[in-house]
Amino acid sequence: MADIKDWKSLSEPTKEWNELLESIGGQAPDLGMFPDIASMRTWITEAKKAMTANFEPVKGIKEEKDHEITVGDGSKITVRTYVPEKSGGPLAVIYHGGGFCIGGLENEELLCRNLCGRLGCSVVNVDYRLAPEHVFPAAAHDCWDATVWAADNATTLLSSDPSKGFIVGGTSAGGNLAAVVSHLAQDSPLAYPVTGAHLMIPALCNNKSYPDKYKSDLISYEQNKNAAILSEKAMDLFIDNYVPDRSKRSDPLLSVLNWKSGHNGQPTTYFQICGADPLRDEALVYERLLREDLGVKTKVDVYPGLPHGFWSVFPQMKSSGKFVEDSVKGAEWLLANGRA
């Protein structure tokens, strides 16, 4: 990533995106158009099912099974596990996106199946509790508790060997939760060390809580506030429901860039970043911090001119197929390059 000098130029739309817009009448969808969380939930569930159906079924999976587990406050959540035909492979725990308010197990069905069937990972897909019914930091606590459960049950229930690799990953809000979990694991070690973090279009810091030293670089929130799919209006709807108490928005369990113990000890990290995304620069700043300041191995795939979550909404695009394939290759890179 050191060769990308002009982050701002990454917002310029691609030919494929312009052609797509023209084909749908020039108006791209925006989650900010929905009046409330309830109506948005129905839409995202159907969109994710359609996206998964657009790709070929994945072979090599022995079992998919739902489990009800107990989290720290005594509540129950569901995790869906995927076990490959050949046992003894790596472990991956995946957290879905949706602004901490929408989405579920369907969101990451395709990724989980690819990691299991193609890379031989045992995978845990986490259905954490959503806001506004469960506000911050419920999602963060649920994801940590589910990851502890996965590590504790890796060799028995999941037929996995995390010494061959232990990845945490997620998309958007799920990318935030993956970064939170990898930092919690830095401070409170799990049964097995996390060897890789897979951060797809991650939210890493509330825009009102940017560390002073990075503020001049974090311009994408303002530059792309009217972007397709994830606009400023959509982000406000999500954050107001997930963290209604504004005083908590700088908390490291949301704003990971402010982690109190720093970032030393973070695992090998793979980023997927959209150029026309308000969250773009958070990821670019964090990648640079890990690579230049701490010497962490990183890999980055950038999708210039494309908005947040484009592959979910428009799976027919060639760029969408590339994003999905990159997700698998990126995870494969993490397994090959993760810390011991």
Side-chain angles (χ1 to χ4, degrees):
M1 287 307 301
D3 58 335
I4 295 182
K5 304 298 183 185
D6 183 9
W7 295 359
K8 190 174 182 179
S9 67
L10 295 172
S11 290
E12 297 174 9
T14 64
K15 181 175 181 289
E16 184 183 26
W17 180 252
N18 284 333
E19 289 174 348
L20 174 70
L21 283 185
E22 185 177 352
S23 73
I24 60 175
Q27 182 63 47
D30 172 18
L31 291 173
M33 296 186 298
F34 287 91
D36 52 41
I37 294 299
S39 58
M40 202 186 294
R41 284 176 177 172
T42 301
W43 176 83
I44 195 66
T45 298
E46 294 306 312
K48 291 295 184 178
K49 287 180 179 178
M51 181 200 72
T52 300
N54 193 71
F55 294 89
E56 291 292 323
V58 181
K59 299 178 181 179
I61 301 172
K62 177 182 178 181
E63 179 186 73
E64 293 185 17
K65 186 177 180 179
D66 287 357
H67 309 261
E68 187 176 71
I69 68 171
T70 303
V71 293
D73 65 0
S75 300
K76 306 284 189 180
I77 66 169
T78 299
V79 298
R80 179 169 296 164
T81 59
Y82 308 74
V83 176
E85 292 177 350
K86 183 179 179 180
S87 62
L91 176 65
V93 184
I94 303 297
Y95 323 101
H96 69 80
F100 309 98
C101 298
I102 65 176
L105 294 171
E106 298 85 3
N107 282 47
E108 299 298 349
E109 194 86 87
L110 179 61
L111 175 62
C112 291
R113 288 174 176 168
N114 275 327
L115 295 180
C116 181
R118 295 176 60 182
L119 301 185
C121 295
S122 293
V123 185
V124 178
N125 183 0
V126 182
D127 194 18
Y128 56 87
R129 289 173 292 171
L130 301 174
E133 296 88 346
H134 305 280
V135 298
F136 173 84
H141 288 165
D142 286 356
C143 289
W144 172 249
D145 291 340
T147 308
V148 171
W149 177 89
D152 289 346
N153 289 279
T155 60
T156 53
L157 189 64
L158 302 176
S159 300
S160 175
D161 180 2
S163 68
K164 295 180 180 178
F166 183 2
I167 295 172
V168 296
T171 303
S172 191
N176 171 276
L177 294 165
V180 166
V181 167
S182 70
H183 280 77
L184 288 171
Q186 168 185 294
D187 295 343
S188 302
L190 295 159
Y192 297 89
V194 173
T195 62
H198 187 169
L199 307 184
M200 296 168 277
I201 56 172
L204 294 170
C205 195
N206 177 255
N207 69 304
K208 303 298 184 184
S209 306
Y210 291 152
D212 289 340
K213 67 184 295 186
Y214 304 124
K215 282 183 178 179
S216 62
D217 290 324
L218 293 164
I219 63 171
S220 58
Y221 193 98
E222 178 64 26
Q223 182 192 11
N224 297 323
K225 66 181 180 181
N226 297 315
I229 303 177
L230 187 68
S231 65
E232 182 179 45
K233 187 175 180 181
M235 289 186 288
D236 287 345
L237 180 62
F238 286 138
I239 196 67
D240 288 344
N241 278 276
Y242 181 49
V243 197
D245 184 346
R246 293 174 182 267
S247 69
K248 295 182 179 180
R249 294 182 183 179
S250 61
D251 191 306
L253 289 176
L254 175 72
S255 295
V256 185
L257 289 180
N258 295 323
W259 201 263
K260 290 180 181 179
S261 62
H263 313 283
N264 194 20
Q266 281 305 288
T268 302
T269 305
Y270 170 58
F271 294 82
Q272 290 179 275
I273 302 170
C274 293
D277 184 349
L279 305 180
R280 179 193 70 211
D281 292 349
E282 297 169 30
L284 290 171
V285 161
Y286 182 51
E287 186 277 334
R288 185 182 64 193
L289 180 161
L290 292 179
R291 175 173 45 82
E292 293 187 354
D293 296 357
L294 300 173
V296 174
K297 284 186 280 189
T298 65
K299 177 179 171 62
V300 182
D301 282 316
V302 177
Y303 307 87
L306 295 172
H308 187 92
F310 69 92
W311 71 96
S312 293
V313 183
F314 301 108
Q316 71 274 25
M317 293 175 64
K318 289 183 179 179
S319 298
S320 297
K322 182 180 186 305
F323 188 100
V324 171
E325 188 62 22
D326 286 347
S327 297
V328 180
K329 291 178 179 177
E332 189 173 35
W333 178 85
L334 285 173
L335 293 174
N337 292 275
R339 65 182 179 201

